[in-house]
């Protein structure tokens, strides 16, 4: 089988692919490939190991060729792949969710929340530029997190892990998702509310929904207007869930107290106005960047290709309906 890996990944997982005569090629570039490069390098392969920075649509699948059987995405999110186009063609798509990745993203969400509430980044910057003149009664006043209200939009695996950590801070936990999740309510003490209610009551709003047509720019002018004045927004999900222009306005006029952002609408580009807006913390899409998470992602992304090569159904099949009519 021919396998193409669009970029070198941490660890030695790629070596594992080189068994049973598999012919494995890894992009020589340590950067995302252009569409043209990807097609040229992947043409004729049976398996593609892709990253979330690769856009894989129907045209790319067709250009790679009718022998393409599977795209193993090295990410939890799969909004970079046209799933319908893959399913229509009998191409299997897998992703890499695991406790390791989910905990890593939940921890990063909390790092952003605490850093926002206590103005850690601003304070660090001031100290480094020599502005520290000794203890003062009124510098860098922030907010306690203890006892505040956290609104979680999307109570999946990551949202639940964020909620679990909030218990130590005795927070009131609100959530919104398509259907109420009674089991999580019992386990985590979270309360299902409408989005409007969540916006109105939350001191912190944290986003954990996938990017879909429904969630694209769902956090916009209208949503910000309904939020509690001075609330903090944390986004470790996908940048395009938030309308970045409206976010800048909400920060500028003080409707939002701050934003902790790991993801952006048009990555890797970040609206320059965000850097000038008050109390914004940006990290470069690193919520899953821990050794534990990335090792697990590598193990899964490679393991699922080998599982399919051996004729077995992989664990994290995003389009399970394709299994019976998959390309062979
Ligand atoms: C994912 O896996 O979808 C994350 O966004 C990677 O950090």
């Amino acid at each position: 089988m021919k396998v193409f890996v669009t970029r070198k990944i941490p660890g030695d997982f790629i070596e594992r692919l080189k068994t049973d005569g598999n012919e494995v090629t890894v992009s020589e570039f340590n950067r995302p490939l252009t569409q043209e490069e990807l097609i040229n390098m992947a043409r004729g392969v049976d398996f593609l190991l892709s990253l979330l920075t690769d856009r894989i649509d129907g045209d790319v699948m067709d250009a790679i060729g009718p022998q393409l059987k599977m795209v193993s995405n090295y990410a939890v999110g799969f909004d970079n792949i046209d799933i319908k186009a893959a399913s229509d063609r009998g191409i299997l798509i897998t992703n890499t969710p695991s406790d390791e990745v989910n905990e890593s993203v939940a921890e990063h969400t909390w790092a952003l929340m605490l850093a926002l509430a206590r103005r850690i980044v601003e304070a660090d910057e001031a100290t480094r530029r020599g502005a520290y003149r000794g203890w003062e009664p009124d510098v860098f006043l922030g907010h306690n997190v203890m006892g505040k209200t956290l609104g979680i939009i999307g109570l999946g695996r990551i949202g639940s892990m964020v909620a679990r950590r909030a218990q130590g801070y005795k927070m009131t936990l609100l959530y919104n998702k398509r259907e109420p999740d009674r089991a999580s309510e019992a386990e985590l003490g979270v309360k299902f509310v409408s989005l409007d209610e969540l916006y109105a009551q939350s001191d912190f709003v944290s986003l954990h929904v996938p990017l879909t047509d429904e969630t694209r720019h769902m956090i916009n002018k209208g949503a910000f207007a309904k939020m509690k004045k001075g609330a903090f927004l944390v986004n470790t999900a996908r940048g395009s869930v938030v309308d970045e222009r409206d976010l800048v306005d909400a920060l500028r006029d003080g409707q939002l107290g701050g934003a902790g952002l790991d993801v952006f609408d048009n990555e890797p580009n970040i609206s320059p106005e965000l850097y000038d807006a008050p109390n914004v913390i940006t990290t470069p899409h690193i919520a899953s960047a821990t050794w534990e998470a990335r090792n697990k992602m590598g193990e899964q992304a490679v393991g699922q290709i080998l599982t399919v090569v051996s004729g077995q159904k992989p664990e994290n099949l995003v389009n399970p309906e394709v299994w019976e009519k998959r390309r062979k």
Side-chain angles (χ1 to χ4, degrees):
M1 294 287 178
K2 287 188 179 169
V3 188
F4 178 62
V5 181
T6 63
R7 188 164 177 176
K8 192 177 171 309
I9 57 173
D12 58 0
F13 300 100
I14 301 301
E15 288 306 308
R16 296 188 194 172
L17 283 173
K18 296 179 185 167
T19 49
D20 298 333
N22 291 332
E23 202 180 299
V24 182
T25 315
V26 183
S27 163
E28 63 192 271
F29 301 115
N30 193 21
R31 59 163 171 78
L33 298 176
T34 64
Q35 218 65 344
E36 202 185 342
E37 287 170 337
L38 194 154
I39 289 168
N40 285 336
M41 292 182 198
R43 191 171 282 121
V45 300
D46 304 277
F47 294 86
L48 185 68
L49 194 156
S50 60
L51 272 57
L52 60 85
T53 41
D54 300 315
R55 302 250 131 249
I56 318 280
D57 57 19
D59 290 344
V60 170
M61 295 171 201
D62 291 342
I64 291 174
Q67 74 300 320
L68 178 66
K69 298 169 184 53
M70 173 181 181
V71 179
S72 175
N73 207 36
Y74 179 80
V76 177
F78 43 84
D79 49 283
N80 58 310
I81 301 177
D82 185 337
I83 302 298
K84 184 176 178 311
S87 300
D88 289 347
R89 290 162 174 76
I91 299 172
L92 305 171
I93 307 293
T94 54
N95 67 340
T96 57
S98 65
D99 282 353
E100 288 82 347
V101 173
N102 299 334
E103 299 285 9
S104 170
V105 177
E107 286 179 4
H108 197 75
T109 303
W110 265 92
L112 290 171
M113 265 175 61
L114 290 172
L116 273 177
R118 300 307 306 270
R119 303 174 64 182
I120 299 293
V121 175
E122 275 177 90
D124 173 74
E125 188 276 321
T127 312
R128 285 168 197 273
R129 91 175 116 80
Y132 178 45
R133 297 178 304 233
W135 188 90
E136 293 183 81
D138 60 352
V139 288
F140 292 117
L141 298 186
H143 294 275
N144 282 8
V145 174
M146 182 62 84
K148 296 284 163 51
T149 297
L150 170 62
I152 298 173
I153 301 183
L155 193 77
R157 284 177 280 210
I158 296 172
S160 300
M161 288 175 181
V162 169
R164 196 161 293 123
R165 284 164 172 76
Q167 291 168 343
Y169 285 88
K170 297 189 174 15
M171 297 183 92
T172 299
L173 294 171
L174 308 178
Y175 78 99
N176 181 272
K177 68 189 283 188
R178 272 209 198 95
E179 299 292 333
D181 177 346
R182 301 300 175 209
S184 296
E185 288 177 15
E187 191 202 333
L188 302 167
V190 289
K191 183 178 171 214
F192 180 80
V193 289
S194 67
L195 274 177
D196 282 2
E197 224 173 309
L198 185 145
Y199 294 145
Q201 292 180 29
S202 301
D203 301 293
F204 296 86
V205 174
S206 192
L207 306 178
H208 300 287
V209 287
L211 177 64
T212 62
D213 289 343
E214 205 184 327
T215 62
R216 186 177 298 276
H217 288 185
M218 70 178 280
I219 307 297
N220 54 21
K221 197 180 168 75
F224 290 124
K226 290 174 189 160
M227 286 185 195
K228 203 166 172 176
K229 194 166 172 65
F232 296 103
L233 177 75
V234 178
N235 189 7
T236 53
R238 283 293 180 267
S240 299
V241 174
V242 177
D243 185 317
E244 230 161 75
R245 197 163 290 277
D246 292 349
L247 170 62
V248 169
D249 290 342
L251 287 161
R252 278 186 182 154
D253 67 21
Q255 175 59 16
L256 265 194
L261 308 169
D262 186 51
V263 286
F264 306 90
D265 209 352
N266 182 26
E267 293 181 16
N269 305 306
I270 301 181
S271 306
E273 298 88 355
L274 268 181
Y275 293 125
D276 301 327
N279 210 9
V280 174
I281 299 175
T282 58
T283 54
H285 204 150
I286 55 166
S288 73
T290 63
W291 285 107
E292 292 84 351
R294 292 287 159 87
N295 280 338
K296 189 70 189 180
M297 287 163 72
E299 186 185 312
Q300 287 177 313
V302 163
Q304 296 188 115
I305 292 178
L306 294 175
T307 301
V308 173
V309 171
S310 71
Q312 308 294 309
K313 193 169 173 175
E315 193 187 345
N316 300 300
L317 198 49
V318 168
N319 52 355
E321 69 284 0
V322 171
W323 182 249
E324 294 305 331
K325 51 182 175 87
R326 67 192 182 279
R327 282 182 182 169
K328 292 196 177 133

